[in-house]
Structure formats: structure tokens, C-alpha cells
Amino acid sequence: MIFMPDDYSALVRKAIAGDKEAFGELYGIFLDRIYRFTYYLMRDEFAAEDATQNTFLKAWNNLQNFSPDKGTFQSYLFTIARNLVIDSQRKKKEYSLEEGYGSDVQTGENPEERIWQDEAKKKVHEAMDGLDGDERELVILRFFEEMHFDEISEVVGKEPGTIRVRIHRIMQKLRTKLEGQI
Amino acid sequence: MKSEEHLEELKKEYEKTKATLHLKSSGWEELRARIGLLEPEPVAPWWKTYALAFSLVALLTGSLIGAYRISLASMPGDALYPVKILSERLIQNATGDNQIAIDHRADEIIILSEKEKTDREMLMKVVIEYKEVVEEKKSEIQESGADNQEFQRRLDDHHRRFDEAERKNPRIEDEIKEAQEASDRDEEED
């Protein structure tokens, strides 16, 4: 499945041609999404920052190998981010996908925004507690990031049909949990 | 609240999570610097390096040859005259023969004598130098006992040209006479 929104396909082409500024614009477009993805898998702001930066660094370095005909740029980025998270968790057991809880650091946002974000994070964390790492990444990719099954298939390396079934079950599980909290 | 509504609320909460201020403010600049560092310096292909070196050597050689060729026509006082003298010394050191210096001085005497307003002081200076280099060669031949036929043939040629120059410009008779004496055959050689 080829999914290439027109709003950034031109930027991707320019970046492949070596245009750093175009890649900078892509960085701006995807920064929050990649950060959120890595953060909710690692639950550590420092680790998520590192993973985010390394995702874009690796994406740039391997851009010559990326072909828009073989997949979308966002699935390319999320695949790199996921692999970096897995590598990081292998190196640091405390950041395990299943049970890892890292440290949230104060990074300079104003206190009100910080409280507002912390509250939001807490709710998301609570909702996803009880889901294992694989389940969390599928919920994020499908439900929060609204990615197509084919794209998720590229990111996690499993068949779209399998993913569809798994996500259906995970969402059921999540709904049951949320109903219990209501 | 139904679970679907709760899920939508959860999605909104998820989207509230933004990249850290550090990433927002300086993430791209830091990454840009790292990208710049990682990019290898463009390396010229090996043949380009050789081609450049060859071009430089060829240019330098061409310049030196050009300067040498131009200097051959230079006269005392000209900018390239030292190049002419230097080249004579190099050739003399390489071959052990100063014949080229003798020929050059003879040519200079002829050229100076043909000028409408002959610089007699300059002409005398060149004649003295001619005498010196001729004497130097004569001494070498005498010491080594080498064959001097070619040398004598050259001197005879110089002598003939000096005679002709004197006929054309009798005012330089004194200077030319000095040169003629230097190019005379030695009595013992006859």
C-alpha cells in the first residue's frame, strides 16, 4: 500500500536528493509523533529524546535506501524508531517494553503546561497499563497515530491480516478495561 | 461515559503529549550539526589527484621552458637576462662545457653592434665577458688535451661575424677588435 500525503511527498523527494532544509521541515512535521511513540513505549523523557533524535539521524543516513514506491515515509520513520526502542531496551533492562518505567524530567516547559501534560500522560499510562509492549505499540500506531494496517505491517514486520486481528482483540481488551474504570 | 467516548478522550490526552522543549527549541539545530559532521568530505577520485598533480607539473614545466625560451633573446639589463645566465650555468654544470655561454655572448655582441645607437659601455662589458668565457674554454682544452676543432670552427664563425659587424658599424671598432682578438686562432694551434 502506497500512502504518500501530498503535503510532504515533495519534501521527502527533496530530502532524498540531499536537501537538508527539506529534511528539517520533515523533522518539524514528525517530531511530536515520533517523540510520543518512543515516549509511551519507553516511558522516559531522556530516553525518548535520544531515540527521537537518533531516529531522524538514522533516517537521514539511510535515506538513499528509502524508496517511496516501497512504503511511506512515516512507516519508514516509525520502523526506525521502533527498532531503536527495542535496541535501547535490550541494552537497558529497566526500560523493558513490558514493565519499564523511566523517569520524567523537568525540561523547561512552563508549570501549567507541565501539569496539563503530566495529567494527560498519567491518563494514557493508566489506560495502557496491563498491555504488553507489543500491544502498546499496536494501539499507538493504529488508534492514536491512525496508521493504515499496511503501514503498521511495515513497521512491526507482521502480516496486515494478523495485525488487524490482534488490534481488534487489543482494542476490545482496552475497552473492557476502560469500562471497568468508568 | 461510554468506552468509545473514553477512548476518544484518551486519544486527545495522547495528542497533548508534545516533544520536550529541548527538542522543540534546539533539536533540529543539534541534528543538523550531527548530519553535517557525519557527511564525508567529498574525496576526489585518485585519477583526479594524479591529473591535478600532472597538470601542475606540466604548467610549471611549461612556464620554465617558456621563460627559458624567452630569456634566450634577452640582452644584458633585461628582466629575463638572469634566467639566461642561470640556464647557461646549469648546462655548463651538466655538460662540463661553456660553449653555450660563448655563443650567447657572441650573439649579444652582434646584436648590440647592429643597433643604431650602440650602448658602447654595454657592448664593452659583453666583449669582456666573451673574452673571459673564451679564455676559460681555451684553458680547459689545453689542460685536458681534448679535440678543439669544433671550438675553433665556432670561433672562426664568430670572427667572421665580428668582421662583418665592424664593417657595418666602424664606430665600434675598438670594442670589436677586443672580441676579434679573443676569437683569433692561437699561434701554437695553427
Side-chain angles (χ1 to χ4, degrees):
Chain A
M1 172 80 182
I2 296 169
F3 177 75
M4 192 89 160
D6 286 333
D7 54 352
Y8 64 81
S9 60
L11 292 172
V12 172
R13 278 195 295 274
K14 284 183 185 175
I16 291 171
D19 186 337
K20 283 184 196 166
E21 298 313 316
F23 190 73
E25 288 190 47
L26 290 168
Y27 178 91
I29 291 170
F30 286 99
L31 178 64
D32 284 338
R33 293 179 63 194
I34 296 297
Y35 174 79
R36 277 196 293 259
F37 177 65
T38 56
Y39 172 75
Y40 282 110
L41 291 180
M42 302 167 96
R43 301 190 176 190
D44 182 292
E45 283 190 355
F46 274 142
E49 272 191 1
D50 275 351
T52 302
Q53 289 295 79
N54 287 331
T55 297
F56 286 102
L57 185 64
K58 210 167 177 178
W60 170 263
N61 290 338
N62 295 302
L63 210 48
Q64 296 304 318
N65 300 325
F66 168 70
S67 167
D69 297 333
K70 293 178 182 171
T72 65
F73 186 69
Q74 70 171 354
S75 64
Y76 170 68
L77 281 181
F78 277 93
T79 303
I80 295 170
R82 179 180 181 268
N83 290 337
L84 286 170
V85 169
I86 291 169
D87 286 347
S88 172
Q89 285 167 336
R90 277 186 192 140
K91 288 173 189 166
K92 297 179 182 178
K93 286 182 181 175
E94 62 268 32
Y95 294 142
S96 148
L97 273 172
E98 284 73 26
E99 54 196 17
Y101 283 85
S103 59
D104 277 7
V105 291
Q106 301 298 313
T107 51
E109 290 89 346
N110 71 60
E112 275 182 30
E113 189 182 338
R114 184 83 211 174
I115 292 166
W116 183 69
Q117 278 210 32
D118 284 351
E119 194 62 32
K121 284 176 184 172
K122 193 180 168 189
K123 287 178 183 172
V124 177
H125 283 316
E126 280 174 1
M128 293 212 285
D129 278 345
L131 299 180
D132 66 28
D134 291 346
E135 290 173 335
R136 278 212 299 272
E137 70 180 10
L138 290 176
V139 169
I140 292 170
L141 293 173
R142 176 60 186 161
F143 180 64
F144 293 142
E145 294 295 340
E146 298 180 341
M147 285 172 73
H148 196 276
F149 289 111
D150 290 327
E151 289 182 297
I152 298 170
S153 165
E154 287 170 21
V155 175
V156 302
K158 287 176 183 159
E159 289 298 313
T162 310
I163 289 165
R164 192 184 292 269
V165 173
R166 280 212 70 196
I167 287 175
H168 179 75
R169 286 177 186 159
I170 295 163
M171 292 308 292
Q172 282 294 99
K173 186 175 170 181
L174 195 57
R175 282 189 191 91
T176 306
K177 184 181 178 185
L178 290 174
E179 280 167 10
Q181 290 175 354
I182 298 167
Chain B
M1 189 186 280
K2 290 177 184 175
S3 63
E4 290 304 323
E5 290 171 356
H6 205 102
L7 275 173
E8 286 307 314
E9 280 296 311
L10 194 62
K11 194 172 183 177
K12 286 176 189 168
E13 299 296 340
Y14 174 85
E15 287 168 356
K16 283 179 187 171
T17 304
K18 306 287 183 190
T20 59
L21 189 66
H22 171 238
L23 285 182
K24 291 268 187 194
S25 60
S26 55
W28 169 240
E29 289 309 311
E30 286 176 10
L31 189 68
R32 201 180 194 290
R34 288 171 76 183
I35 286 171
L37 284 173
L38 284 171
E39 277 181 358
E41 289 290 319
V43 179
W46 64 269
W47 59 268
K48 275 194 177 176
T49 309
Y50 281 107
L52 182 66
F54 179 78
S55 302
L56 286 174
V57 170
L59 186 68
L60 188 65
T61 308
S63 302
L64 287 174
I65 290 171
Y68 168 70
R69 291 176 72 108
I70 294 169
S71 77
L72 291 181
S74 66
M75 297 296 287
D78 289 351
L80 284 176
Y81 193 70
V83 176
K84 188 179 183 178
I85 299 298
L86 178 67
S87 66
E88 288 169 4
R89 287 183 184 157
L90 289 173
I91 292 168
Q92 186 176 348
N93 286 339
T95 62
D97 188 355
N98 71 344
Q99 185 61 52
I100 191 162
I102 296 170
D103 292 342
H104 283 174
R105 296 299 86 76
D107 290 342
E108 287 162 14
I109 289 167
I110 301 301
I111 291 168
L112 284 170
S113 68
E114 286 173 348
K115 287 191 174 178
E116 279 187 29
K117 288 186 178 177
T118 303
D119 183 343
R120 296 183 67 179
E121 193 179 335
M122 180 67 75
L123 178 61
M124 197 61 209
K125 194 178 169 187
V126 176
V127 168
I128 290 168
E129 284 172 9
Y130 176 77
K131 287 175 74 174
E132 283 176 2
V133 287
V134 168
E135 285 305 316
E136 188 184 337
K137 177 131 183 177
K138 280 180 177 175
S139 302
E140 280 173 15
I141 288 173
Q142 203 165 12
E143 281 173 19
S144 65
D147 179 28
N148 67 350
Q149 280 189 345
E150 173 61 19
F151 175 56
Q152 282 301 338
R153 193 190 63 73
R154 296 274 188 115
L155 285 185
D156 290 345
D157 182 52
H158 295 167
H159 202 99
R160 182 186 54 74
R161 290 167 68 199
F162 294 151
D163 289 346
E164 198 175 324
E166 187 188 6
R167 274 200 302 279
K168 286 181 184 172
N169 190 355
R171 288 175 299 159
I172 56 163
E173 184 185 354
D174 293 343
E175 292 82 0
I176 287 292
K177 203 173 285 294
E178 293 277 336
Q180 285 167 332
E181 281 174 12
S183 61
D184 276 346
R185 283 174 178 264
D186 290 340
E187 282 181 10
E188 59 267 36
E189 289 172 352
D190 292 335

